[in-house]
Amino acid sequence: MTATTTRQETVPLTFGGFEFAGRIVRGGGRLAPIVLVGGAFQHKDAWGRVERDLLGHADVITVDLPGWGAADRLPPGYGVDFLAGALGHLLDQVAPEPVHVVGASYGSGVAHRWAQLRPERVRRLLLVGTMTHVTGRLRRRIARSVELAEQGRHAEFTAEVLDLMLSRAPDVRRQAAVRRCLNSLVSAMTGADIAKYLDNTRRLLDHPGDDGRVLPVPVLVTTGEHDPLTTPVLSRAAAARCADARFTAIHGADHLVHLERPAEVVDLALRFFAGEPLSGLPYCTPVEHVVCGVAR
């Protein structure tokens, strides 16, 4: 057993009749607990180096919400508010004090919504690869992935998912390795995995999960500079809907920035959560302070 496994606890829970699980790893340090809410192909044990490097500074909480990982399948009629409620149910059990939250990709919408509903429970919120809503060409591309999965055209489905998430820009770090990893992951999806993907993607398309209220907590939005899914333009627009937000794009990365540049993601997160300056960082664009639509 590793040092991490000896310090971790899995917390089985039920919310609204659906079983799911959280996981807390004791890391100590001076920061409040850091909650990681991952993307559509990510489960609570899959944060790798990001989790490891955060543990020197805080306890880390991860989760398989209903519809994720080993949790129960969640029909698409349940919206983002339900998932935010499930996240809150976990955190009320394991971390009743205010926490720092990282929401990545699909999980960014859940983290954002929970922060809207429970702002008093959030110290700071980091959103990695996010957008306010899915429209136009991107909506058609995502809907196309659903169609291919429904028709059992798995090779085409895999290619579509990879093209949605990964850029072919020559300066993306670890590009070949990350592409092989995602290709293997998607190619190996079981029927149950595909069903959860379909549920979650329909939920993304059908439930915006944002009632327009301005988020009052400090927010940092980031993504890879070459992200073809949640592009820098879309991510900056999401930052502009918060009362006190910052935005930056990480060099040499696309949508899977946490795999391509994990050390940089951790450094950015720790600086932000500690309230340290974010100026002059060599691995990202100059950090913009966005206040309700105005970049400074």
Side-chain angles (χ1 to χ4, degrees):
M1 296 180 67
T2 67
T4 296
T5 59
T6 61
R7 301 197 307 272
Q8 73 177 11
E9 175 188 359
T10 299
V11 183
L13 293 164
T14 300
F15 184 77
F18 297 92
E19 293 184 358
F20 72 107
R23 173 175 163 272
I24 181 166
V25 186
R26 305 293 179 182
R30 60 191 177 91
L31 293 177
I34 298 173
V35 183
L36 305 178
V37 188
F41 297 102
Q42 197 165 12
H43 57 80
K44 67 181 187 304
D45 302 303
W47 283 92
R49 181 175 174 179
V50 169
E51 176 185 290
R52 186 194 71 196
D53 290 354
L54 290 173
L55 282 171
H57 305 269
D59 295 346
V60 174
I61 300 166
T62 63
V63 59
D64 280 346
L65 291 168
W68 257 274
D72 283 349
R73 182 176 172 182
L74 184 68
Y78 289 83
V80 177
D81 278 17
F82 183 87
L83 291 169
L87 177 61
H89 182 57
L90 165 67
L91 296 178
D92 287 345
Q93 308 299 313
V94 302
E97 71 276 19
V99 294
H100 298 296
V101 185
V102 179
S105 191
Y106 186 91
S108 68
V110 179
H112 182 273
R113 186 59 177 151
W114 183 68
Q116 282 185 316
L117 297 172
R118 302 288 299 277
E120 76 284 355
R121 296 280 282 109
V122 182
R123 288 181 181 269
R124 291 182 170 230
L125 174 65
L126 171 60
L127 301 176
V128 183
T130 193
M131 68 180 84
T132 57
H133 54 282
V134 184
T135 59
R137 179 177 176 273
L138 180 58
R139 186 178 188 89
R140 292 191 294 273
R141 290 284 308 277
I142 294 174
R144 175 63 174 163
S145 76
V146 170
E147 179 183 327
L148 292 170
E150 288 176 327
Q151 295 173 357
R153 297 159 63 180
H154 202 73
E156 293 172 82
F157 167 72
T158 299
E160 185 70 23
V161 169
L162 265 64
D163 283 345
L164 273 169
M165 294 190 175
L166 300 178
S167 166
R168 296 186 182 276
D171 60 329
V172 172
R173 305 288 183 92
R174 304 185 65 222
Q175 184 179 80
V178 171
R179 183 170 289 274
R180 285 195 303 270
C181 179
L182 184 60
N183 182 71
S184 297
L185 179 65
V186 179
S187 297
M189 290 174 71
T190 65
D193 295 330
I194 292 288
K196 287 181 178 178
Y197 174 84
L198 291 173
D199 289 340
N200 288 332
T201 305
R202 292 187 180 112
R203 191 175 358 265
L204 175 68
L205 295 173
D206 296 342
H207 298 276
D210 183 353
D211 59 7
R213 75 181 73 181
V214 175
L215 190 59
V217 304
V219 178
L220 172 61
V221 177
T222 190
T223 193
E225 65 176 339
H226 301 297
D227 188 342
L229 181 60
T230 53
T231 65
V233 170
L234 292 172
S235 295
R236 185 185 286 106
R241 299 181 66 168
C242 303
D244 180 16
R246 288 153 182 80
F247 169 78
T248 186
I250 295 179
H251 298 311
D254 51 34
H255 191 66
L256 297 186
V257 59
H258 69 288
L259 295 178
E260 294 153 351
R261 307 213 65 180
E264 290 77 10
V265 170
V266 169
D267 183 70
L268 188 65
L270 291 175
R271 288 174 183 272
F272 176 61
F273 291 152
E276 296 176 358
L278 300 177
S279 58
L281 301 178
Y283 53 78
C284 61
T285 61
V287 177
E288 306 168 27
H289 190 193
V290 183
V291 181
C292 290
V294 180
R296 298 179 179 176

